[in-house]
Structures are given as structure tokens and as C-alpha cells.
Amino acid sequence: MDKILIANRGEIAVRIIRSCRELEIPAVAIYSEADRTAPHVLMADEALCVGPAPSIDSYLNVERILDAAQASGANAIHPGYGFLSENASFARSIINAGLIWIGPAPDTLDLMGDKVAARGLAASVGAPTVPGSTEPVTDLTSAEQTANEIGYPVLIKAAGGGGGKGIRVVENQKQFRSAYERARSEAASAFADDRVYVEKMIVKPHHVEVQIFADGKGNIVCLGERECSIQRRYQKIIEETPSPFIKASIRNELSTLAVDIARACRYTGAGTVEFLVGEDQSYYFLEMNTRLQVEHPITEMVTGIDLVAEQIRAASGQPLSIRQQDIQPSGHAIECRIYAEDGFDNFTPSVGTILELTAPGGPGVRLDHGIREGLEITPYYDPILGKLCTWGTTRPEAVARMARALEELRIIGIRNTVPFCMAVMHHPVFKKGTYCTHFISDFQSDLEAWATQDPDQLVEVAALGAALFAESSPATQHEPEHSQVEESLWARSGRERQVSQ
Amino acid sequence: MIFQATIGERTIRLNITRKGGQPFVALEDDTPNLDLVQISPFSYSLLVDHHSHHLSIRSSREGYMVDLRRRTYFVRLRDDLDLTIEKLGLNETGQDHSGQVLAPIPGLITGVSVVKEDEVASGDKLLILEAMKMENEITAPMDGIISAVYVSPGEIVEKGALLIEIHRH
């Protein structure tokens, strides 16, 4: 492989550039007009503009991306996650242009990207699936009928997508129509496919996924599982490995099924098989993510394997260098996703300028991010700013280390999920490791209470800081530079006061 | 200089004096040993009786935002003059603009479900604002009649943009 173009942005583009560097392969970044000075552009060996800010005109613009590959002389493309990473026609255009696609074959993407076909394939190797519609539904009447047959609560999910977009929970028949319309419309805008399916909701579920890696030559290994049950709006926010919930026998069964599924769909590269595990440890195949996952670093931390480097090796035709018996996961790793969202205001996105950034360090800490001081966070893209991961020899050590690293991480200027993640690390249910996917909704008020407790002494320090600042620089008092952001924060503070009264 | 700082429910009185450029602060009945040093455009190191604090301080029209540990504190400061004005009752505002529906986040309007003259009840769907790939339903904050609709589908709005106005019955 001579040169790799990374068809992505943000933290994942930075992550891929790092592996390229270590393999001594030049890395080419692409960027939208809004991302001209983003860290992935600053880090890359070459960078080419692929269009205006909206993703549809830039990071999803296949023609411009292929032009950029040609102009830079890149002979391979890494798609990262999201954007075009699971788009079979993009993969085909790359292969047809004589370039290397770092990912599974387009036919595999087609097969596993169709949720219904994927469930059929999983069932054929013996993986149980959640009861629900066997075909995507396009009319309200049959969708509603299916829901009535399997019984409420049900989920409505996009047939063509993932990542939590286009998913709606319906508690009863009365809510069905509105939820169905929203899910279809979200699915249409996110995946250009408005088909949805309806399925039974599993009570107190856990989201457990298995990382596999295949070299395309018949060698497939399993790299352990990840528990991804801390979710908001059906999107993951905190993940850990190993799962503190599943029994060893279930772990073995899930691993075997994941490898069997990968074999059945002729998989190449890094892939993830997602399962829903009920309270009683009964499990169901959900879907296969045919790309690198956001949360791949925790698997890397416990296995010591660089998944991106392995992807590059597999795409260049090299057989797997590791055998299953060489993979001995060690210790425990946790990831906290740092989103530009307010965890205590319904995860409302926050935009603005990063005024200050201090990264944590020390033993067992890994921070993957795509931000810098002075960078403006725009509403055009996914709100992920970065991922903080910690490793410990035991789970309590990894949790304590995460709490410590979150305290060290300072992102000033926009609201973010750091305080929320801290509150989770201190919650007794999380510490015990007995949480399910309802954790956030069940314990939102505990988390908020923890995060808003004001030790008297700190309140006084804040007052002191403000007064000294005002006294020493009276001229700046009434010239807000970031008035828009601040006004809304003030409004929010006002609401908090009203609520507490 | 005397300040009254209000943070949430708490009000703290501070008196700052300077001797040779060095500040001395009386905080309530205490006079802690202080050292404030600016370390970047927005951040400061503050030692209070040897206890080390790393703060970020920004001013706004309404006061100060202080980031300290895991919290952002909103500090409203009033000096002697402000307090005198308040005592005289010259500072009454009491605005109520609850009929104005503002964009809570920047984004794209993908659907508007009401037109002028429509009657709405609190919680009724008004429009869909798409941001960061999520669809957000904006609902009516109160019962009333739609008196103006300022946006249409396809329009990109800034945070705080006036979207719709509702007139109380």
C-alpha cells in the first residue's frame, strides 16, 4: 500500500492517520470547507477539499472523494466509521477505479447492511433473533398489525441504517402513528431509505457486542466482547470490556456465533456482531457492523492489537499474523465518549468555540480526539469530540482511573459530556456493574444530583474568582465575546434555579 | 470594592482592597490568603489558603461563568452602585416573552406543522428542527393562537432565532 486516503473527519480520521504513520504509509485527509483547520487536516501528509460544509456535499460526495484520491495518488481508501463506511456502492466505485477498499467486500456490505437479510443469515448459523417483522414495512397498517401481534412495547428501526438513527420506542398503540412517521422520515434523511421494521422490545436488556477480525483467507479470530449498555437515545456513550454482566458460558457462545456469522458472510477485516442480552442472559442477534467501531480502542487496550493496522494489512492481502490462542485479553478497559452535548439537558447539542483544552495523561489513559483550542464546533456533523479510554488490571481500577482522567480533561467553551460521564463513574450501580440499557433513564436524577452538588467551599472559590476577575479588569465586564452561547447558559441556569425552588 | 456575588441560592459578600497591587479579600467574615495568576487567555490558577484551584473565567452581559472542577458556576456580581440602584427600585424589568418560540439549537427546519391563526395547546407539535443528524420536535410552550410563523422548511436557523410567535387567548 503506497498511500491511504481517509474518507472521514474528526477523531477517527486522526486515529487512522496515527496507524498510517506507524506503518510509514503517507496519509491523505479530505475536508469540507468548514474543516479547513481541523486537527485531521493539520496532522495528515496531504489534505484535499471535497466540498462545502454539509456532509452530503463533502464527506458523502463520492465523486469528489474519488477525484481527491486520484489527485493525491492514494491507492487505498479507509472509510472510518459513519459516512460512507458501510456504503456498498462507494466500495464498488473505489474497487472499479482500481483502488484498494479497506473494508469488507461490497457484497458483504450489501448483505449485512440489509437488516432483514442479516437476521436471516444469523438465524442460518443458529443465532436467535428478536421477534418482529421479517420484512421491512412501508405502510402504516401492516406495521401497526405487526406491533399488535408481537405485543407492546415495540421498537421501530430503520432497515438501512445503524448508529441509533431512525429508532423509536412505542409504548402503546396510541403513540404508534407519530413514532412511525418520525422513524421513517429520520431513516430517509440519514440513509436515503425510509423502510423500517418493527420488533419486540426486550426487558432490561444489555447491549453486548463481539469484535471479530477476518483476513479474507479463512482465518477469523474473536477479540472479546464489549458491554455497551450505557446509552442515550439508543446511542452508546460509555462502553467497557469485558462485560461485567455476561457469564463465561454466554461469552463463549456469543464468540462462537460471531465467528460463524463472519464466516457465513465471507467477511474481511474488522467487524462487530451486536447482541441484545436479556436479564436472564438469553441473547438475540441484532446486527453486524461492517466497519471499525467507535469503541474499538478498549478492545485494543486489553488485547494489545492495533485494529487499524490489522485492517490495512488485511486489505493489502496479508494473512492474519495472530492466532486465536495468541489472544489473551488482559485487565479491564472503559471508554467514555466525549460529545458536544449537555448530559444534563437531554443531551442537547452544543456549538461554539473550544477556548481551552487540557488532555489527561498518566498510567493507563488513552485519549483519541479531533479537536484543538480555537476550533469551532459546527452543527454539521456528528457531535463526537473524542473518546477517553482507561485501562486497569481490575474493573474498579479502570473505573477509578476514568474518574481521575475525566477530572484532568478540561474542555472549556462548549458544553460536553465530561461531567455526565464523571457522574456515571461515581454511581453505585455503575460501580457494581449491574446496569442495563435503562441506566440513564432510571438514574438521571441521581446523576444530576451528583453533578450539581455544590460544596460550599467551591461556590466561594467561584465567587472569589469572578470578583477578582471583575475588580482587575472592569473594562471587559460588559463586552461579551461569546454572548450567544452564554445567554443560553444563563437561561438554563435560570431554569435550574426555578426547578430547584 | 464591595461585591455581592449570587450563585444559585447563595449570596456571598466580598470586599476587595489592594495594597501595592496585591489584592486582599474579606469573604464574609474570613480573610483568606490569596494568589490569582492568569495562565492562559481564559484560565487562572487561584490559591486560597494554599488550596489549589484551576479556574476558567469568562464574562457575559449578565455576569460571569466560572468553570471549576466539574461544574460551570454562574456568578452574578453586584457592586455598591448596582445595589443602591436596586434598593431604589430602578431596575425593574419583569419581561414575559413566553409566547416567542426560539431555536434552542442551530439547525435545519425540516417541517412546519402550523400556520398563522392556528389554535395550539401547550405541548402541540409546531415544527421539526434537525441538528447533528437528529430530528428535534419543537412544541408549543403554552396555549394560544399562532400570530406569526417566521420560518419555512429548508431554512437553516441560528441558535436563538425567533421561529414562531404565539398569542395568548
Side-chain angles (χ1 to χ4, degrees), chain A residues 182 185 349 355-356 381 383 407 410 450-451 453-454 460 469 471 476-477 486-488 490, chain B residues 7 10 18 43-44 54 56 58-61 64-65 68-71 73 105 125 132 135 159:
Chain A
R182 282 278 65 72
S185 145
L355 302 175
E356 241 190 87
Y381 314 110
E407 291 259 350
R410 288 169 64 87
W450 184 87
Q453 61 184 337
D454 280 319
E460 285 172 7
F469 178 87
E471 191 259 354
T476 63
Q477 261 190 63
E486 290 169 11
E487 268 165 39
S488 71
W490 275 101
Chain B
I7 301 180
R10 271 197 74 184
R18 277 184 188 268
S43 95
Y44 296 81
H54 183 176
S56 293
R58 287 164 285 157
S59 62
S60 81
R61 210 172 303 148
Y64 298 84
M65 300 203 311
L68 172 60
R69 302 284 290 261
R70 58 178 178 267
R71 283 273 274 160
Y73 295 92
I105 43 173
K125 184 170 97 179
M132 307 245 183
E135 294 196 351
K159 178 201 195 81

Side-chain angles (χ1 to χ4, degrees), chain A residues 80 88 132 156 173 177 179 195 221 283 315 322 338 408-409 464:
Chain A
I156 304 177
Q173 197 174 350
R177 189 197 180 100
R195 294 175 310 152
V221 292
Y283 54 81
I322 30 168
I338 313 304
E408 284 180 33
L409 174 57
L464 254 173

Side-chain angles (χ1 to χ4, degrees), chain A residues 299-485:
Chain A
T299 298
E300 295 184 325
M301 288 181 108
V302 297
T303 61
I305 292 164
D306 178 338
L307 284 168
V308 174
E310 288 299 331
Q311 284 185 302
I312 293 169
R313 288 192 193 104
S316 54
Q318 296 175 35
L320 258 178
S321 57
I322 30 168
R323 292 164 306 166
Q324 188 65 56
Q325 59 265 38
D326 301 331
I327 299 165
Q328 298 294 341
S330 143
H332 198 98
I334 302 176
E335 170 181 276
C336 286
R337 298 191 187 188
I338 313 304
Y339 285 109
E341 290 179 347
D342 187 340
F344 300 113
D345 188 15
N346 221 1
F347 291 93
T348 311
S350 174
V351 293
T353 304
I354 310 266
L355 302 175
E356 241 190 87
L357 173 66
T358 309
V365 174
R366 168 173 172 176
L367 178 66
D368 287 56
H369 70 82
I371 56 173
R372 62 170 171 79
E373 287 183 358
L375 187 75
E376 196 192 334
I377 303 304
T378 63
Y380 296 109
Y381 314 110
D382 193 88
I384 197 160
L385 300 174
K387 301 163 332 199
L388 179 59
C389 300
T390 57
W391 179 90
T393 49
T394 61
R395 186 175 187 270
E397 187 177 272
V399 173
R401 196 162 265 170
M402 179 59 81
R404 182 272 291 175
L406 285 164
E407 291 259 350
E408 284 180 33
L409 174 57
R410 288 169 64 87
I411 303 172
I412 307 293
I414 55 168
R415 278 170 282 155
N416 58 71
T417 50
V418 168
F420 180 86
C421 292
M422 272 184 210
V424 174
M425 291 305 126
H426 287 92
H427 196 277
V429 171
F430 182 82
K431 282 185 172 171
K432 255 195 274 169
T434 53
Y435 60 88
C436 73
T437 59
H438 302 159
F439 178 82
I440 293 181
S441 52
D442 285 353
F443 301 113
Q444 182 74 35
S445 58
D446 286 5
L447 299 171
E448 201 153 338
W450 184 87
T452 54
Q453 61 184 337
D454 280 319
D456 281 354
Q457 189 210 348
L458 288 185
V459 174
E460 285 172 7
V461 170
L464 254 173
L468 284 168
F469 178 87
E471 191 259 354
S472 62
S473 54
T476 63
Q477 261 190 63
H478 301 291
E479 291 168 22
E481 212 180 310
H482 306 279
S483 57
Q484 243 194 6
V485 178

Side-chain angles (χ1 to χ4, degrees), chain A residues 112-431:
Chain A
M112 300 315 273
D114 183 328
K115 299 290 176 281
V116 177
R119 291 208 281 181
L121 181 132
S124 76
V125 301
T129 56
V130 179
S133 54
T134 47
E135 303 270 310
V137 289
T138 46
D139 72 286
L140 179 65
T141 322
S142 65
E144 225 170 343
Q145 197 189 330
T146 306
N148 290 340
E149 279 166 20
I150 60 181
Y152 288 93
V154 299
L155 292 177
I156 304 177
K157 293 179 141 185
K165 309 265 171 4
I167 296 183
R168 283 288 185 278
V169 181
V170 195
E171 301 283 355
N172 53 52
Q173 197 174 350
K174 201 171 142 241
Q175 298 172 343
F176 195 86
R177 189 197 180 100
S178 156
Y180 174 78
E181 283 167 2
R182 282 278 65 72
R184 275 189 62 184
S185 145
E186 252 181 53
S189 66
F191 315 111
D193 178 358
D194 72 354
R195 294 175 310 152
V196 294
Y197 63 87
V198 177
E199 70 178 33
K200 177 125 188 104
M201 208 172 112
I202 305 301
V203 177
K204 290 199 180 169
H206 289 248
H207 182 120
V208 178
E209 59 183 30
V210 178
Q211 176 74 54
I212 60 97
F213 198 94
D215 64 3
K217 299 179 191 312
N219 304 310
I220 306 173
V221 292
C222 171
L223 296 152
E225 84 285 357
R226 294 181 289 256
E227 168 96 38
C228 311
S229 300
I230 307 280
Q231 303 187 347
R232 49 77 166 111
R233 290 195 298 248
Y234 288 84
Q235 285 184 282
K236 300 160 194 167
I237 180 158
I238 296 171
E239 301 95 341
E240 60 180 308
T241 183
S243 162
F245 169 69
I246 60 169
K247 295 186 290 196
S249 59
I250 301 294
R251 175 170 296 124
N252 291 337
E253 287 174 37
L254 296 183
S255 302
T256 306
L257 282 172
V259 169
D260 289 348
I261 288 167
R263 184 166 290 116
C265 69
R266 298 167 194 279
Y267 203 82
T268 309
T272 298
V273 182
E274 298 192 334
F275 295 92
L276 205 58
V277 183
E279 255 190 308
D280 56 355
Q281 306 242 340
S282 61
Y283 54 81
Y284 307 91
F285 167 81
L286 275 183
E287 61 177 0
M288 181 168 191
N289 291 306
T290 49
R291 52 169 161 82
L292 191 66
Q293 292 280 88
V294 174
E295 59 275 23
H296 74 278
I298 53 173
T299 298
E300 295 184 325
M301 288 181 108
V302 297
T303 61
I305 292 164
D306 178 338
L307 284 168
V308 174
E310 288 299 331
Q311 284 185 302
I312 293 169
R313 288 192 193 104
S316 54
Q318 296 175 35
L320 258 178
S321 57
I322 30 168
R323 292 164 306 166
Q324 188 65 56
Q325 59 265 38
D326 301 331
I327 299 165
Q328 298 294 341
S330 143
H332 198 98
I334 302 176
E335 170 181 276
C336 286
R337 298 191 187 188
I338 313 304
Y339 285 109
E341 290 179 347
D342 187 340
F344 300 113
D345 188 15
N346 221 1
F347 291 93
T348 311
S350 174
V351 293
T353 304
I354 310 266
L355 302 175
E356 241 190 87
L357 173 66
T358 309
V365 174
R366 168 173 172 176
L367 178 66
D368 287 56
H369 70 82
I371 56 173
R372 62 170 171 79
E373 287 183 358
L375 187 75
E376 196 192 334
I377 303 304
T378 63
Y380 296 109
Y381 314 110
D382 193 88
I384 197 160
L385 300 174
K387 301 163 332 199
L388 179 59
C389 300
T390 57
W391 179 90
T393 49
T394 61
R395 186 175 187 270
E397 187 177 272
V399 173
R401 196 162 265 170
M402 179 59 81
R404 182 272 291 175
L406 285 164
E407 291 259 350
E408 284 180 33
L409 174 57
R410 288 169 64 87
I411 303 172
I412 307 293
I414 55 168
R415 278 170 282 155
N416 58 71
T417 50
V418 168
F420 180 86
C421 292
M422 272 184 210
V424 174
M425 291 305 126
H426 287 92
H427 196 277
V429 171
F430 182 82
K431 282 185 172 171

